[in-house]
Amino acid sequence: MTETPHGDAEGFRPHTSHWGVFSARMRDGTLEVKPHAGDPDPNGIIDNFPAALRHRARIAQPMVRRGWLERGPGPDSRRGRDEFVPVSWERALDLLAGELTRVRDQHGPGAVFGGSYGWASAGRFHHAQSQVHRFLNMAMGGYVRSVNSYSSGASSVLVPHILGTYEDLTKRNVSWEQIAEYSEVVIAFGGMALKNSMVAGGSISQHVERGAMERAAARGCRFVLVGPLRSDLPVEAGAEWVANIPGTDTAMMLAMVHTLVTEGLHDQAFLDRYTEGWPIFLRYLLGETDGQPKDAAWAAPICGIPAEEIAALARSLHGKRALVVVAHSLQRAEHGEQPVWMGAVLAAVLGQYGLPGGGYGYALGAIGYYGRRYNAVPVPTLSQGRNKVADFIPVARIADMLLNPGTTYRYNGQTRTYPDIKLVYWAGGNPFHHHQDLNRLRQAFARVDTLVVHELAWTATARHADIVLPATMTLEREDIGASSNDPLMVPMHPIAAPYGEARDDYAIFSELAGRMGVGQVFTEGRTARQWIEHLYERTRAALAEMGRPAPSFAEFWRSEGITLPQMEDDGGELRRFRIDPVADPLPTPSGRIEIFSSTIDGFGDADCPGHPVWLPRQEVPQGDTPLFLVANQPATRLHSQLDFGGHSTGAKHRGREVARMHPQDAAARGVADGDIIRLFNERGSCLAAVRVTDGVRPGVVQLPTGAWYDPADPEEERSLCVHGNPNVLTRDVGTSSLAQGCTGQLTTVEVERFEGNLPPIQAFEPPGALPMAAE
Ligand code: PGD
């Protein structure tokens, strides 16, 4: 640690995380945390820190997989099955620098996959993604990157074609303040669950969603939740619950639009003035192109909602300040582009775009930084340098890439070819959490020469690596916490010394860069503290330029955080467009809301045609897998992070993740509340505890992501995951040829009561290690 930092009277020092600003102190060797006093609705995820800090799941020293150490780099199906050999830092870094040099010189940087997707930790300098990308750019000359995210794979590709700037739509459009004040009806497809908005990348000092919904409801705003899980809107919203069949929202929205149009309740003036291609879409809607009017009677059996209820819901939106919300989760599924596009059309038909609290609130509530104000000054950001490799993959196509080098795939109108990857470098992500069909992912990782992972704990990803380098946890280093739309910029003080031999990602990359002859280029001669001061200066200078108080770094460091100025809540691009569509057209090809996109139509991909359509899923509940599985975000941790912490483990039952199912489905299978169940399909199986509740629609089982993958027998091909990781069950296919986004939200399964001896949970036990290697 560089200095003895200040603390409050009790010695608590500020820090932050993706799930909230907090302060912490060490007392008698124990970590204590408390939430930020200014947060109106803090959550319990910070309570994962105390037990996690010194947990045995932490990685204490560099490790090399035995097979890699003995036989050298190369494809190996022993990954994830092998033992590890502890090595010194010197040895680990020498081996790794040698391997990086070999791959660069023999195959070029285009054989390195450095997409390294993942949320890592808050902190603008020790941001693992930026660090790994910067290092690969400088030491290797670049790397094959990934584009888009697991969160918004489909929508982030679609939105620029049809609505304009993604960032603007989600962050500067309809705000929580507007909802509290103006909305009359909020219809939320997929809901706006607080477990999602409690998290925001970078830092979040105020959780405002619950309060905003409570204020809106108290004013008389009506909330309607369309979705299979009742908990996807908080009780404070007092929502009506329309429990449709998962994956059928597009059909429901089509039927609602059909009702509005055929009953003359649509806003034709808005459609004429602000949209493109309505007449083409209308022919499809009315059945003129395929003989099937998309009316409520058609949609009812698809959605599992009576036709009259769908029609009545549509009518009830007419003439109101109505806000249509479509959750990220809906697009994390087969044909995920369609509900996003159809939500935009429903909102256009209601004509409320650009009005305060009305229009289209795409993904509001999906994450804590949507629907808030934008900071008026930039936050500190580490430059990643220049990547000389142009090649990329859509992020969720990693297993396809590794398994099928040289084959082609469609993406956003292009036909692209998968590169031949020899080395994969991961820092700050957990593909054994985020990717689908984990048994397939294991096969994919067996194909590479070398897999390198920096991790703070023994995740399944670390267990599958060849070289594992122990990284510090956020609490063990200093940094600046900030995000582009949270007003509080936080000095993140180090609270504890690094665990074992763990080092910061920056320190690891600095050493490697030195060995590869680019030390000075990578570090620019700065220590970590000097970098933090350097990055702070950008924000300080912008504050000074605006004539705002611009504290020196020392003043900032002594503070509890400084409040950044924020932009007006002005409705952004869509408000300006509404006011004057000629002077302020949308940045779409037509300058309007594209109900029909000739660009997408021109791509000629049948799985994403030129306007929104109902495309039935390939994978539907039937035969051996009669239930839908909703694999959504967890409530007690961020993704898989700190799954071994107290708040996360405390919510498990008999050590397993908890699934929820409807009493009818449970009774039909002889399953009782609290039982252990086995969920299975053709791809894999896992155990979970079960909560029987009428809060899920019949025919639906829900199991959140994030329980660490824990195969009963790692030697087996498709071993049972004994802990409850739903990604052993999910399908590894893209949303469509347009976006190739992640489809992990929804799959089909069967469930049975688990009989017999309950296998132990091994996920948090360090893997078998041999004696330290002789140097
Ligand atoms: P995390 O668990 O956050 O998951 O996937 P992501 O990979 O981001 O992983 C971050 C890892 O970084 C953790 O293992 C943590 O220990 C490590 N880490 C933290 N700090 C540091 C650090 O400073 N240095 C290093 N080296 N490591 C660090 C999330 C992804 O999952 C996302 S965003 C979504 S939205 C998807 N959602 C779903 C879904 O809804 N359904 C399914 N089935 N699957 C999903 N996967 C996706």
Side-chain angles (χ1 to χ4, degrees):
M1 283 181 224
T2 47
E3 64 181 48
T4 308
H6 86 296
D8 65 10
E10 294 169 322
F12 281 89
R13 297 173 213 153
H15 206 83
T16 192
S17 64
H18 296 314
W19 45 92
V21 178
F22 64 100
S23 55
R25 69 176 179 189
M26 290 299 288
R27 195 176 214 194
D28 302 328
T30 304
L31 176 73
E32 295 175 344
V33 291
K34 61 178 186 187
H36 176 53
D39 189 339
D41 189 22
N43 59 71
I45 307 185
I46 55 168
D47 296 328
N48 280 324
F49 279 123
L53 184 68
R54 296 289 178 255
H55 195 282
R56 63 188 179 286
R58 294 288 307 272
I59 304 174
Q61 69 185 112
M63 295 274 196
V64 180
R65 187 175 65 80
R66 177 186 187 165
W68 194 93
L69 198 59
E70 290 176 355
R71 292 187 297 279
D76 195 342
S77 58
R78 297 293 306 153
R79 286 196 181 99
R81 300 176 163 96
D82 227 346
E83 291 156 314
F84 282 90
V85 182
V87 295
S88 68
W89 269 109
E90 286 299 299
R91 177 96 192 275
L93 294 167
D94 287 347
L95 284 169
L96 179 50
E99 173 59 357
L100 289 165
T101 307
R102 178 190 77 86
V103 172
R104 183 190 63 195
D105 295 349
Q106 282 182 14
H107 304 284
V112 175
F113 181 66
S116 184
Y117 181 81
W119 270 58
S121 293
R124 303 299 303 174
F125 174 64
H126 293 289
H127 180 240
Q129 284 280 299
S130 304
Q131 293 285 349
V132 67
H133 294 160
R134 181 178 165 86
F135 167 74
L136 292 173
N137 283 338
M138 289 165 184
M140 304 294 281
Y143 60 92
V144 175
R145 68 201 155 96
S146 58
V147 295
N148 312 325
S149 70
Y150 275 79
S151 305
S152 59
S155 56
S156 58
V157 176
L158 175 73
V159 162
H161 290 296
I162 64 159
L163 279 169
T165 317
Y166 184 80
E167 189 78 359
D168 204 278
L169 176 72
T170 52
K171 292 187 175 171
R172 295 183 200 172
N173 167 25
V174 181
S175 67
W176 289 103
E177 291 165 35
Q178 293 174 35
I179 291 175
E181 205 171 334
Y182 298 104
S183 307
E184 290 178 283
V185 193
V186 178
I187 177 164
F189 292 88
M192 299 185 283
L194 297 180
K195 70 177 173 53
N196 299 335
S197 54
M198 68 189 177
V199 166
S203 177
I204 177 166
S205 64
Q206 292 176 14
H207 292 86
V208 300
E209 292 77 5
R210 189 195 306 271
M213 286 190 247
E214 194 169 22
R215 291 205 306 285
R219 184 181 44 76
C221 174
R222 171 183 170 222
F223 286 87
V224 182
L225 162 65
V226 182
L229 310 177
R230 187 169 54 205
S231 57
D232 278 342
L233 271 184
V235 285
E236 287 81 359
E240 296 156 35
W241 182 27
V242 181
N244 64 334
I245 294 173
T248 64
D249 305 84
T250 305
M252 186 147 158
M253 292 187 243
L254 277 162
M256 290 172 72
V257 169
H258 189 279
T259 302
L260 290 165
V261 169
T262 52
E263 297 184 11
L265 302 175
H266 61 304
D267 191 336
Q268 188 65 50
F270 183 89
L271 293 169
D272 291 343
R273 187 155 190 234
Y274 296 102
T275 72
E276 181 73 14
W278 169 252
I280 302 173
F281 172 79
L282 186 60
R283 295 185 58 224
Y284 166 76
L285 184 77
L286 299 177
E288 289 168 18
T289 49
D290 61 0
Q292 175 61 65
K294 313 303 173 302
D295 56 17
W298 162 80
I302 297 174
C303 306
I305 302 295
E308 196 35 53
E309 201 178 319
I310 298 174
L313 184 57
R315 288 179 202 118
S316 73
L317 303 179
H318 170 67
K320 299 273 172 19
R321 180 61 55 84
L323 177 66
V324 177
V325 173
V326 169
H328 267 341
S329 56
L330 268 56
Q331 51 90 65
R332 215 174 292 135
E334 240 184 90
H335 307 306
E337 295 82 0
Q338 300 308 318
V340 180
W341 204 344
M342 197 52 218
V345 175
L346 174 59
V349 165
L350 295 167
Q352 303 286 298
Y353 272 92
L355 297 174
Y360 192 30
Y362 172 70
L364 255 184
I367 208 156
Y369 41 48
Y370 292 171
R372 291 159 182 257
R373 292 185 190 213
Y374 225 74
N375 292 337
V377 290
V379 293
T381 304
L382 178 68
S383 160
Q384 300 183 3
R386 197 165 90 76
N387 185 351
K388 296 188 194 114
V389 177
D391 209 356
F392 67 84
I393 57 161
V395 66
R397 302 276 45 85
I398 177 169
D400 284 357
M401 171 185 72
L402 297 177
L403 290 167
N404 307 300
T407 63
T408 58
Y409 65 99
R410 295 281 296 157
Y411 170 71
N412 206 10
Q414 307 165 8
T415 300
R416 303 183 56 83
T417 303
Y418 286 122
D420 190 0
I421 295 299
K422 302 292 180 197
L423 183 143
V424 174
Y425 208 126
W426 226 286
N430 184 7
F432 276 87
H433 159 65
H434 65 233
H435 198 61
Q436 286 57 67
D437 196 351
L438 295 181
N439 291 310
R440 185 168 185 258
L441 184 68
R442 293 186 95 187
Q443 291 166 7
F445 277 139
R447 302 276 310 250
V448 299
D449 286 358
T450 300
L451 172 58
V452 188
V453 171
H454 296 193
E455 248 300 344
L456 53 93
W458 279 109
T459 61
T461 305
R463 286 166 202 266
H464 282 76
D466 300 309
I467 299 178
V468 182
L469 301 180
T472 48
M473 189 191 267
T474 176
L475 291 166
E476 297 161 353
R477 60 195 183 220
E478 56 187 23
D479 211 329
I480 298 174
S483 99
S484 58
N485 43 0
D486 187 272
L488 195 69
M489 190 159 87
V490 184
M492 297 170 69
H493 287 271
I495 310 294
Y499 180 76
E501 296 179 22
R503 293 184 181 177
D504 299 347
D505 293 299
Y506 175 67
I508 300 171
F509 287 128
S510 302
E511 289 269 352
L512 277 174
R515 280 169 170 74
M516 296 176 72
V518 289
Q520 174 65 23
V521 181
F522 179 75
T523 64
E524 296 181 21
R526 292 191 186 95
T527 63
R529 165 54 81 93
Q530 286 166 338
W531 267 108
I532 292 167
E533 290 190 29
H534 174 70
L535 298 183
Y536 174 80
E537 178 55 23
R538 179 176 180 228
T539 305
R540 197 205 61 78
L543 286 169
E545 202 168 307
M546 286 182 78
R548 301 279 182 148
S552 68
F553 179 79
E555 288 167 323
F556 163 65
W557 203 247
R558 280 196 300 274
S559 74
E560 293 290 314
I562 60 172
T563 303
L564 304 177
Q566 296 205 289
M567 290 180 181
E568 286 293 292
D569 179 14
D570 65 357
E573 222 164 58
L574 284 162
R575 176 86 50 84
R576 292 194 295 279
F577 171 65
R578 182 177 189 108
I579 293 168
D580 191 340
V582 178
D584 287 310
L586 292 178
T588 58
S590 62
R592 296 158 159 234
I593 298 167
E594 299 221 352
I595 292 175
F596 175 83
S597 159
S598 32
T599 307
I600 295 177
D601 186 57
F603 294 161
D605 294 311
D607 55 359
C608 190
H611 59 73
V613 289
W614 167 246
L615 295 168
R617 289 174 56 85
Q618 273 183 17
E619 193 199 31
V620 287
Q622 59 187 355
D624 293 342
T625 53
L627 300 168
F628 264 118
L629 175 70
V630 176
N632 59 355
Q633 301 288 327
T636 55
R637 58 186 171 258
L638 166 66
H639 309 139
S640 69
Q641 293 201 30
L642 311 183
D643 187 29
F644 49 102
H647 190 59
S648 180
T649 53
K652 299 189 193 233
H653 181 63
R654 295 166 76 188
R656 326 284 138 163
E657 198 59 33
V658 178
R660 294 188 300 155
M661 67 192 298
H662 192 274
Q664 279 172 22
D665 298 320
R669 290 163 179 78
V671 166
D673 193 66
D675 278 353
I676 300 298
I677 54 171
R678 189 173 80 96
L679 299 92
F680 57 99
N681 63 20
E682 60 184 17
R683 286 173 291 280
S685 57
C686 70
L687 299 184
V690 70
R691 163 93 340 105
V692 177
T693 167
D694 65 2
V696 298
R697 192 197 144 87
V700 175
V701 185
Q702 176 255 331
L703 177 63
T705 59
W708 284 13
Y709 173 64
D710 192 355
D713 180 1
E715 295 293 334
E716 257 181 45
E717 253 329 291
R718 282 165 199 237
S719 179
L720 172 77
C721 168
V722 303
H723 192 193
N725 184 330
N727 275 328
V728 296
L729 301 161
T730 50
R731 263 175 100 210
D732 186 9
V733 292
T735 50
S736 81
S737 309
L738 183 83
Q740 297 286 6
C742 157
T743 58
Q745 182 77 187
L746 216 51
T747 191
T748 61
V749 293
E750 177 55 295
V751 164
E752 66 183 15
R753 190 162 177 267
F754 181 74
E755 309 283 356
N757 293 335
L758 205 49
I761 304 286
Q762 304 281 355
F764 306 140
E765 303 303 325
L770 295 166
M772 183 96 177
E775 310 258 316

